[in-house]
Amino acid sequence: MSTDTVGQAATGTVPHRRRQQVRVRILTLTGVAVLLVTTYLFTDVTGSWDYVVQLRARKLAAMLLVAVAVATATVLFQTVTENRILTPAIMGLDSLYLLIQTVVVYLFGASALVATEPTLQWTVEIVVMVLFATALFRWIFTGAGRSIHLLVLVGVLFGVLFRSVTHLLQRMIDPAEFAVLQDAFFASFSVQPQLLGLSAATITLATVGLLLIGRQVDVLGLGRAHAIGLGVHHRQLVAAVFALVAVLVAVSTALVGPITFLGLIVANLAYHLIGSHLHRHTVPAAILLAVIFLVGGHLLLERIFDLGTVLAVVIEFVGGIFFIILVTRKGAR
Amino acid sequence: MIVLQSVTKRYADTAVVDDVSIELGHPGITSVIGANGAGKSTLLSMIGRLLPIDDGTITVDGLDVTTTRGALLARRLAVLRQDNHLTARLTVRDLVAFGRFPHGRGRLGPADRDAIDQAIAYLDLDSVGDRFLDQLSGGQRQRAFLAMTLAQDTHYLLLDEPLNSLDLRHCVQTMRLLRRAADELGKRIVLVLHDINFAAAHSDRIVAMRAGRIHAVGTPTEVITTAVLREVYGLDIAVEEFGGHPMAVYHL
């Protein structure tokens, strides 16, 4: 008998059944995601098969990357802040992204935004956002106060500040240039192919980093006191997680624009469906849900509403309803 | 042993723990008593690495708590605080399994599973092992957290006001349980207590603190006296003997 079966026998049958249930649910989610992805890629093709599929594959790649980044970042952020209704958006990264775009147009004109090498633009955006986020996280979370409420307040304040400056600058620029800028305000998955590779590489690196500290992050969910008592280097680990979150959110925002609302929905749905606190269960579930929402949302948007609305509306509408149902059901139980 | 040398903690200019030197962690149970704000919890928090030390050093079995790797200390010293609110939804078994984290960095082997089962059985939680913590009563929750610290399999156990918000029956059960853990498992337990009679009845040693300093150290009969209690609490309290333990009558 192997040592593993001894361990299994000792823990009894119920935890085993729970593990199996988690596995079944993740597999089901995978099935739905794969189904949606194939439907998106291969159905309703008119015109050149090659062209259409290639175009869609590129969009799909962007969606998958964003799903991984946003879902992972939100779950981690919620663990570290010990709060289930926060998203990294509270740190004002979305508004910072819009501010960067606006400042570029204001200073150099819309032609600059269009003409700049996308890779360069991407890199600058990422660096600025990551620097800002890590500075803010570190300052607030490792300082004397270390309060989540302070972090939220300061984040909201910065968000408002960025938005106000953005609005001010937008009023001062040429209306024709403003029209170009406006495109940047909504998440769009028609991305430059050269950015996909870069983003994929960055997100992969961040994910590997996360895998290395994954089990320690589970302990963070118990709160600071227990984490320290169990021998986790709390400050170091929190700083590392914040850096990962900043990179993931920045990459996703620089790739397709602001979309963090998605994270809140998928993270909470994942906790609910999986019922496990372990990140090796909740993170994959949240990612799969994000894929389902993004690809499903696009299917609805492109095939049923004929592009009559924006993705945010679809996801927030469907996800919002789903979310409210879950919350009320949980309350009733 | 847990050795504190001239340990000081200040908030602004006020020293909440003022130049304290003491050895804690003798075999059995050591209770720390004192009025609110005497520095008991602060002292425990510094030993447990939850608060930085402003001056002085604390060592656990010769390991300096500020410089030693957390995982190493977590295998010798377990800390349980009074506020145990969790955002994560965990079953009792999940929670107790975390106690094994310092040993396997999150991977559970057969030995870890045995330790978890033993801790759950020791605290009589078998029947609720697979229930979620938010489905338990306050007393059961408290025992679940105690089971986690037992599973951590440490020499020293620090508890900050473990009787807080427990009813009389659970208070007595908890104290008897700690006594048993000290006698049967050889745990060296240090706890902060507000009820001096529980301290007197179950401790081997009592440390009385006043205004950030150690005021008295000794056996219950040495410390629980009208004279010491007057200094520590500012009250005249009659002390009677009952079943070999000094009992303070402070309700009148």
Side-chain angles (χ1 to χ4, degrees):
Chain A
M1 195 178 356
S2 78
T3 45
D4 196 45
T5 46
V6 176
Q8 299 268 337
T11 50
T13 55
V14 178
H16 186 63
R17 207 163 58 220
R18 254 183 71 217
R19 267 205 301 279
Q20 205 137 33
Q21 195 183 14
V22 168
R23 216 170 292 155
V24 167
R25 290 194 176 167
I26 289 183
L27 277 177
T28 316
L29 286 179
T30 317
V32 176
V34 169
L35 191 73
L36 284 174
V37 165
T38 18
T39 315
Y40 180 78
L41 267 184
F42 301 118
T43 62
D44 208 14
V45 180
T46 47
S48 159
W49 178 275
D50 272 357
Y51 175 75
V52 172
V53 171
Q54 205 180 29
L55 192 73
R56 284 180 184 171
R58 207 182 294 158
K59 255 188 171 183
L60 187 69
M63 285 191 258
L64 296 182
L65 287 177
V66 168
V68 172
V70 169
T72 313
T74 310
V75 172
L76 286 182
F77 189 77
Q78 294 191 342
T79 300
V80 171
T81 55
E82 293 171 55
N83 190 308
R84 294 256 162 122
I85 54 168
L86 287 182
T87 74
I90 202 81
M91 307 308 311
L93 280 180
D94 293 25
S95 11
L96 179 59
Y97 170 76
L98 296 181
L99 179 64
I100 298 173
Q101 309 280 330
T102 310
V103 167
V104 169
V105 172
Y106 179 75
L107 290 180
F108 309 108
S111 51
L113 195 65
V114 184
T116 319
E117 172 67 19
T119 332
L120 176 70
Q121 203 183 327
W122 184 88
T123 315
V124 172
E125 283 162 6
I126 300 272
V127 169
V128 172
M129 283 193 280
V130 169
L131 279 183
F132 165 74
T134 35
L136 196 56
F137 289 152
R138 293 194 73 123
W139 170 45
I140 290 170
F141 250 93
T142 55
R146 245 188 351 83
S147 141
I148 286 160
H149 300 110
L150 187 65
L151 176 80
V152 172
L153 259 174
V154 175
V156 169
L157 273 177
F158 270 109
V160 172
L161 174 71
F162 293 153
R163 263 193 298 279
S164 310
V165 176
T166 309
H167 284 306
L168 177 70
L169 292 179
Q170 279 168 6
R171 266 155 227 261
M172 291 158 67
I173 57 181
D174 188 86
E177 301 203 319
F178 179 70
V180 178
L181 184 60
Q182 217 169 11
D183 267 357
F185 295 174
F186 299 103
S188 150
F189 287 87
S190 318
V191 295
Q192 321 276 27
Q194 61 264 55
L195 294 188
L196 279 178
L198 272 175
S199 306
T202 321
I203 289 176
T204 313
L205 270 181
T207 315
V208 170
L210 171 66
L211 284 178
L212 290 177
I213 57 171
R215 284 171 199 271
Q216 290 191 60
V217 178
D218 288 338
V219 183
L220 276 190
L222 292 181
R224 176 172 176 270
H226 287 300
I228 292 178
L230 292 172
V232 166
H233 198 312
H234 186 262
R235 214 180 42 184
Q236 226 172 52
L237 188 60
V238 165
V241 172
F242 274 149
L244 279 180
V245 169
V247 169
L248 288 170
V249 173
V251 169
S252 143
T253 312
L255 189 64
V256 303
I259 193 160
T260 32
F261 56 84
L262 178 70
L264 181 67
I265 298 168
V266 296
N268 278 285
L269 275 177
Y271 302 142
H272 192 87
L273 285 175
I274 297 302
S276 158
H277 58 285
L278 298 173
H279 288 81
R280 59 176 177 276
H281 295 150
T282 50
V283 170
I287 291 174
L288 288 168
L289 282 163
V291 172
I292 292 171
F293 269 92
L294 282 177
V295 180
H298 258 96
L299 274 173
L300 275 180
L301 183 70
E302 291 179 2
R303 310 283 161 86
I304 292 171
F305 296 122
D306 271 339
L307 294 172
T309 179
V310 289
L311 183 66
V313 175
V314 177
I315 292 180
E316 275 175 13
F317 183 69
V318 179
I321 290 176
F322 212 1
F323 191 56
I324 288 170
I325 293 173
L326 279 184
V327 169
T328 45
R329 260 187 49 203
K330 197 173 179 182
R333 207 173 33 170
Chain B
M1 293 304 286
I2 305 171
V3 182
L4 293 85
Q5 272 172 343
S6 338
V7 172
T8 301
K9 177 78 198 169
R10 288 184 207 89
Y11 290 118
D13 286 333
T14 324
V16 258
V17 170
D18 193 0
D19 195 22
V20 166
S21 299
I22 190 174
E23 278 194 10
L24 293 170
H26 293 82
I29 294 181
T30 306
S31 295
V32 183
I33 63 167
N36 287 333
K40 313 179 294 290
S41 293
T42 311
L43 197 70
L44 230 63
S45 293
M46 283 192 287
I47 301 172
R49 291 161 288 144
L50 296 169
L51 278 178
I53 305 162
D54 287 341
D55 262 319
T57 54
I58 299 177
T59 56
V60 175
D61 289 342
L63 303 169
D64 191 319
V65 295
T66 46
T67 52
T68 309
R69 234 162 25 89
L72 194 56
L73 283 169
R75 289 200 287 268
R76 296 179 184 253
L77 178 80
V79 191
L80 188 60
R81 304 225 300 166
Q82 45 187 323
D83 51 331
N84 287 313
H85 171 78
L86 292 184
T87 30
R89 197 158 182 264
L90 302 176
T91 65
V92 172
R93 187 173 293 275
D94 289 337
L95 180 73
V96 179
F98 272 117
R100 298 306 296 169
F101 185 79
H103 301 273
R105 307 307 283 167
R107 279 170 220 281
L108 297 180
D112 296 312
R113 289 178 203 280
D114 285 348
I116 294 165
D117 287 331
Q118 276 166 20
I120 288 177
Y122 202 80
L123 288 172
D124 203 14
L125 289 164
D126 290 298
S127 55
V128 294
D130 295 304
R131 284 232 224 129
F132 285 98
L133 288 174
D134 52 13
Q135 300 167 332
L136 301 182
S137 71
Q140 287 171 324
R141 270 176 65 91
Q142 160 85 350
R143 274 188 286 147
F145 279 99
L146 275 174
M148 177 177 85
T149 49
L150 279 194
Q152 206 174 327
D153 195 20
T154 55
H155 202 40
Y156 303 105
L157 190 54
L158 303 188
L159 306 164
D160 192 357
E161 295 186 31
L163 305 185
N164 231 13
S165 71
L166 290 184
D167 64 25
L168 207 52
R169 182 165 156 255
H170 286 103
C171 284
V172 175
Q173 278 179 352
T174 304
M175 288 312 291
R176 285 183 184 161
L177 189 114
L178 292 175
R179 188 70 252 174
R180 213 151 57 90
D183 295 340
E184 296 175 4
L185 307 176
K187 299 273 177 196
R188 299 180 173 205
I189 302 174
V190 179
L191 64 168
V192 170
L193 280 183
H194 269 303
D195 191 317
I196 44 181
N197 287 339
F198 275 123
H202 298 275
S203 314
D204 300 294
R205 210 162 153 262
I206 294 181
V207 176
M209 287 187 74
R210 192 179 69 131
R213 289 169 178 275
I214 306 291
H215 184 74
V217 185
T219 61
T221 26
E222 286 163 5
V223 177
I224 306 296
T225 63
T226 306
V228 172
L229 294 180
R230 185 185 301 121
E231 299 281 328
V232 171
Y233 292 101
L235 285 173
D236 275 314
I237 298 171
V239 176
E240 305 283 328
E241 204 194 283
F242 185 84
H245 307 290
M247 287 285 125
V249 189
Y250 50 79
H251 300 94
L252 294 170

